[in-house]
Amino acid sequence: AQSLGLEAGLVGSKPKNTGSGRATPLSPGAVELLKRHRKTQAAERLAAVEWANSDRVFTSTAGELLSSENVRRQWYRLLE
């Protein structure tokens, strides 16, 4: 388990104690979408000249952490 915080930028850290980790139940449809995303990301990893192995589910096309500003911008485009 890992938590994310915005202290001086985006910071990932392990929970402070073992009881702090939580499981998030997912629907079968969500699991299927995540499996498809994993395949797409694996193809991006192979095609990339450079890949930052961040171990994150959602990354840039270079494997880096997503910028909160870019995510916000894309979200607003989807809402238009």
Side-chain angles (χ1 to χ4, degrees), residues 6 11-12 20 24-27 41 47-48 50 52 59 63 76 78:
L6 286 173
V11 177
S20 295
T24 303
L26 299 172
S27 70
Q41 196 175 51
E50 288 187 41
T59 64
Y76 285 123
L78 287 170

Side-chain angles (χ1 to χ4, degrees), residues 22-38:
R22 298 286 183 266
T24 303
L26 299 172
S27 70
V31 171
E32 183 56 38
L33 285 171
L34 287 169
K35 285 180 179 179
R36 278 194 268 159
H37 175 69
R38 185 186 313 175

